[in-house]
Coordinates of all heavy atoms in Angstrom, one line a residue:
L1 N 88.1 83.8 109.6 CA 89.4 83.9 109.0 C 89.7 82.7 108.2 O 90.2 82.7 107.0 CB 90.5 84.2 110.0 CG 92.0 84.3 109.4 CD1 92.1 85.4 108.4 CD2 93.0 84.5 110.6
F2 N 89.5 81.5 108.8 CA 89.7 80.2 108.1 C 88.9 80.1 106.9 O 89.4 79.7 105.8 CB 89.4 79.0 109.0 CG 90.3 79.0 110.3 CD1 89.8 78.5 111.5 CD2 91.6 79.4 110.2 CE1 90.6 78.4 112.6 CE2 92.4 79.3 111.3 CZ 91.9 78.8 112.5
E3 N 87.6 80.5 107.0 CA 86.7 80.3 105.8 C 87.0 81.3 104.7 O 87.0 80.9 103.5 CB 85.3 80.5 106.3 CG 84.8 79.3 107.2 CD 83.3 79.4 107.6 OE1 82.6 80.0 106.8 OE2 83.0 78.9 108.7
V4 N 87.3 82.6 105.0 CA 87.6 83.5 104.0 C 88.9 83.2 103.3 O 89.1 83.4 102.1 CB 87.6 85.0 104.5 CG1 88.8 85.3 105.3 CG2 87.4 86.0 103.4
A5 N 89.9 82.7 104.0 CA 91.2 82.3 103.4 C 91.0 81.1 102.5 O 91.7 81.0 101.5 CB 92.2 82.0 104.5
S6 N 90.1 80.2 102.9 CA 89.9 79.0 102.1 C 89.3 79.3 100.8 O 89.4 78.5 99.8 CB 89.1 78.0 102.9 OG 87.8 78.4 103.1
I7 N 88.6 80.4 100.6 CA 88.0 80.8 99.4 C 89.0 80.9 98.3 O 88.8 80.5 97.1 CB 87.2 82.1 99.5 CG1 86.0 82.0 100.4 CG2 86.8 82.6 98.1 CD1 85.3 83.3 100.7
I8 N 90.2 81.5 98.6 CA 91.2 81.8 97.6 C 92.4 80.8 97.7 O 93.4 81.0 96.9 CB 91.7 83.2 97.7 CG1 92.3 83.6 99.0 CG2 90.5 84.2 97.3 CD1 92.9 84.9 99.1
L9 N 92.4 79.9 98.6 CA 93.5 79.0 98.8 C 93.9 78.2 97.5 O 95.0 78.3 97.0 CB 93.2 78.0 99.9 CG 94.4 77.2 100.4 CD1 95.5 78.0 101.0 CD2 93.9 76.1 101.4
I10 N 92.9 77.5 96.9 CA 93.2 76.7 95.7 C 93.4 77.6 94.5 O 94.3 77.4 93.7 CB 92.1 75.7 95.5 CG1 92.1 74.7 96.7 CG2 92.3 75.0 94.2 CD1 91.0 73.6 96.6
P11 N 92.5 78.7 94.3 CA 92.8 79.6 93.1 C 94.1 80.2 93.1 O 94.8 80.3 92.0 CB 91.7 80.6 93.3 CG 90.6 79.9 94.0 CD 91.2 79.0 95.0
V12 N 94.7 80.6 94.2 CA 96.0 81.1 94.3 C 97.1 80.1 94.0 O 98.0 80.3 93.2 CB 96.3 81.8 95.6 CG1 97.8 82.2 95.7 CG2 95.5 83.1 95.8
A13 N 96.8 78.8 94.5 CA 97.7 77.7 94.3 C 97.8 77.4 92.8 O 98.8 77.0 92.2 CB 97.3 76.5 95.1
L14 N 96.6 77.5 92.1 CA 96.6 77.2 90.6 C 97.5 78.2 89.8 O 97.9 77.8 88.8 CB 95.1 77.3 90.2 CG 94.2 76.2 90.6 CD1 92.8 76.4 90.1 CD2 94.7 74.8 90.0
V15 N 97.6 79.4 90.3 CA 98.5 80.3 89.6 C 100.0 79.8 89.6 O 100.6 79.8 88.5 CB 98.5 81.7 90.3 CG1 99.5 82.7 89.6 CG2 97.1 82.3 90.3
F16 N 100.4 79.2 90.7 CA 101.7 78.6 90.7 C 101.8 77.3 90.0 O 102.8 76.9 89.4 CB 102.2 78.5 92.2 CG 102.4 79.8 92.8 CD1 101.5 80.4 93.6 CD2 103.6 80.5 92.6 CE1 101.7 81.7 94.2 CE2 103.8 81.8 93.2 CZ 102.9 82.3 94.0
T17 N 100.7 76.6 90.0 CA 100.6 75.3 89.2 C 100.8 75.6 87.7 O 101.6 74.9 87.1 CB 99.2 74.6 89.4 OG1 99.0 74.4 90.8 CG2 99.2 73.3 88.6
F18 N 100.2 76.7 87.3 CA 100.5 77.1 85.9 C 101.9 77.4 85.6 O 102.5 77.0 84.6 CB 99.6 78.4 85.6 CG 99.9 79.0 84.2 CD1 99.4 78.4 83.1 CD2 100.6 80.2 84.1 CE1 99.7 79.0 81.8 CE2 100.8 80.8 82.9 CZ 100.4 80.1 81.7
G19 N 102.6 78.1 86.5 CA 104.0 78.4 86.4 C 104.9 77.1 86.3 O 105.8 77.0 85.5
H20 N 104.5 76.1 87.1 CA 105.2 74.8 87.0 C 105.0 74.1 85.7 O 105.9 73.5 85.1 CB 104.8 73.9 88.2 CG 105.4 74.3 89.5 ND1 106.7 74.0 89.8 CD2 104.9 74.9 90.6 CE1 107.0 74.5 91.0 NE2 105.9 75.0 91.5
Y21 N 103.8 74.2 85.2 CA 103.4 73.5 83.9 C 104.2 74.1 82.7 O 104.7 73.4 81.9 CB 101.9 73.6 83.6 CG 101.1 72.4 84.2 CD1 100.1 72.6 85.1 CD2 101.4 71.1 83.8 CE1 99.4 71.6 85.6 CE2 100.7 70.1 84.3 CZ 99.7 70.3 85.2 OH 98.9 69.3 85.7
V22 N 104.3 75.4 82.7 CA 105.0 76.1 81.6 C 106.5 76.3 81.9 O 107.3 76.9 81.1 CB 104.4 77.5 81.3 CG1 103.0 77.3 80.9 CG2 104.5 78.5 82.5
K23 N 106.9 75.8 83.1 CA 108.3 75.8 83.5 C 108.9 77.2 83.5 O 110.0 77.5 83.1 CB 109.2 74.9 82.5 CG 108.8 73.4 82.6 CD 109.6 72.6 81.6 CE 109.3 71.1 81.7 NZ 107.9 70.8 81.4
D24 N 108.1 78.1 84.1 CA 108.5 79.5 84.2 C 107.7 80.2 85.3 O 106.6 80.7 85.0 CB 108.4 80.2 82.9 CG 109.0 81.6 82.9 OD1 109.5 82.0 84.0 OD2 109.0 82.3 81.9
L25 N 108.2 80.1 86.5 CA 107.5 80.7 87.6 C 107.4 82.2 87.6 O 106.6 82.8 88.3 CB 108.1 80.3 89.0 CG 107.8 78.8 89.4 CD1 108.5 78.5 90.6 CD2 106.3 78.7 89.6
R26 N 108.2 82.8 86.7 CA 108.1 84.3 86.5 C 106.7 84.7 86.0 O 106.1 85.7 86.3 CB 109.1 84.8 85.6 CG 110.6 84.6 86.1 CD 111.6 85.1 85.1 NE 111.4 84.3 83.8 CZ 112.1 84.6 82.7 NH1 113.0 85.6 82.7 NH2 112.0 83.9 81.6
Q27 N 106.1 83.8 85.1 CA 104.8 84.0 84.6 C 103.8 84.0 85.8 O 102.9 84.9 85.8 CB 104.4 82.9 83.6 CG 105.4 82.7 82.5 CD 105.5 83.9 81.6 OE1 104.6 84.7 81.4 NE2 106.7 84.1 81.0
S28 N 103.9 83.1 86.7 CA 103.0 83.1 87.9 C 103.2 84.3 88.7 O 102.1 84.9 89.2 CB 103.4 81.8 88.8 OG 103.2 80.7 88.0

């Protein structure tokens, strides 16, 4: 479980990072 969750941990976080950069979390 730890290993499979870690596969997508950073990729999912990057989606929200994008929302912060464009100042619109609705895009995320």
Side-chain angles (χ1 to χ4, degrees):
L1 178 62
F2 296 146
E3 291 185 28
V4 75
S6 64
I7 293 175
I8 59 173
L9 188 63
I10 295 177
V12 171
L14 286 174
V15 178
F16 292 97
T17 303
F18 172 74
H20 282 286
Y21 270 122
V22 301
K23 298 180 174 60
D24 188 356
L25 283 175
R26 295 177 301 175
Q27 309 295 332
S28 297

